[in-house]
């Protein structure tokens, strides 16, 4: 049975759904990059990078190139670079929209004028010197008793 296109797309985006894989693809946009240079740029353990490169290689999105003892990786095609550029454009638009919303919120609810007096209590500070946690209670073991279960014929979710 053939996989529906929407499911294949979901698998494709799931494959891209790791920050190290995205960073590798970004670095490969300018051409082949040696694994040692990827390690320097990404600053992760070699075994972790190797795992992420294997995922990208198995998917066919990157290819490995061996020259002597040096292994480099390159994008398999230009469409991946275009996808990354499209993602950047989409994120830029989304963030611009959020900045506009933030500006509107700030205009709609301006801060109170003037600085807060030094002797005014903070909103989350206690009003007196009472400790927030009693020492004997803090040292008490946590209870392992289950939460009470309601009795009766109520519906279950």
């Amino acid at each position: 049975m053939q996989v529906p296109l929407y499911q294949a797309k979901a698998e494709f985006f799931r494959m891209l759904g790791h920050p190290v894989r995205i960073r590798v693809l970004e670095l490969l946009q300018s051409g082949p990059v040696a694994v040692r240079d990827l390690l320097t740029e990404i600053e992760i353990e070699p075994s972790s990078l190797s795992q992420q490169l294997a995922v990208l290689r198995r998917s066919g999105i990157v290819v490995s190139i061996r020259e002597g003892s040096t292994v480099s990786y390159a994008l398999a095609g230009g469409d991946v670079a275009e996808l990354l550029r499209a993602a950047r454009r989409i994120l830029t638009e989304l963030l611009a929209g959020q900045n506009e919303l933030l500006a509107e919120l700030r205009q709609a609810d301006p801060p109170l004028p003037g600085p807060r007096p030094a002797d005014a209590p903070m909103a989350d500070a206690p009003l007196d010197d009472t400790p927030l946690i009693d020492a004997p209670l803090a040292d008490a073991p946590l209870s392992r008793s289950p939460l009470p279960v309601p009795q009766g014929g109520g519906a279950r979710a």
Side-chain angles (χ1 to χ4, degrees):
M1 183 172 166
Q2 188 173 355
V3 174
L5 180 58
Y6 63 86
Q7 187 173 349
K9 287 179 182 179
E11 288 297 322
F12 174 76
F13 283 108
R14 193 172 298 125
M15 180 271 304
L16 293 176
H18 193 283
V20 170
R21 292 182 212 143
I22 295 296
R23 185 67 183 128
V24 166
L25 296 174
E26 288 175 343
L27 292 169
L28 297 181
Q29 287 183 87
S30 59
V33 179
V35 172
R36 68 174 174 273
D37 296 333
L38 290 172
L39 281 168
T40 301
E41 286 291 324
I42 302 175
E43 298 179 356
I44 63 170
E45 292 295 319
S47 60
S48 296
L49 179 61
S50 179
Q51 288 175 341
Q52 302 309 324
L53 288 169
V55 171
L56 293 170
R57 193 177 56 248
R58 281 192 306 267
S59 73
I61 206 166
V62 300
V63 294
S64 62
I65 305 162
R66 180 175 291 276
E67 294 178 10
S69 63
T70 302
V71 177
S72 298
Y73 279 82
L75 295 176
D79 290 341
V80 175
E82 179 55 35
L83 177 64
L84 292 172
R85 285 190 292 274
R88 182 178 293 269
R89 285 190 307 269
I90 292 167
L91 287 172
T92 300
E93 290 173 14
L94 290 173
L95 292 174
Q98 289 178 357
N99 283 335
E100 291 170 12
L101 178 60
L102 181 59
E104 288 177 28
L105 287 171
R106 286 183 175 151
Q107 288 176 354
D109 191 19
L112 296 175
R116 184 181 64 82
D119 61 342
M122 299 280 292
D124 56 348
L127 297 177
D128 57 17
D129 293 333
T130 306
L132 295 177
I133 299 177
D134 289 336
L137 182 58
D139 295 335
L142 295 175
S143 170
R144 298 246 183 228
S145 63
L147 295 174
V149 177
Q151 301 296 319
R156 292 183 181 248

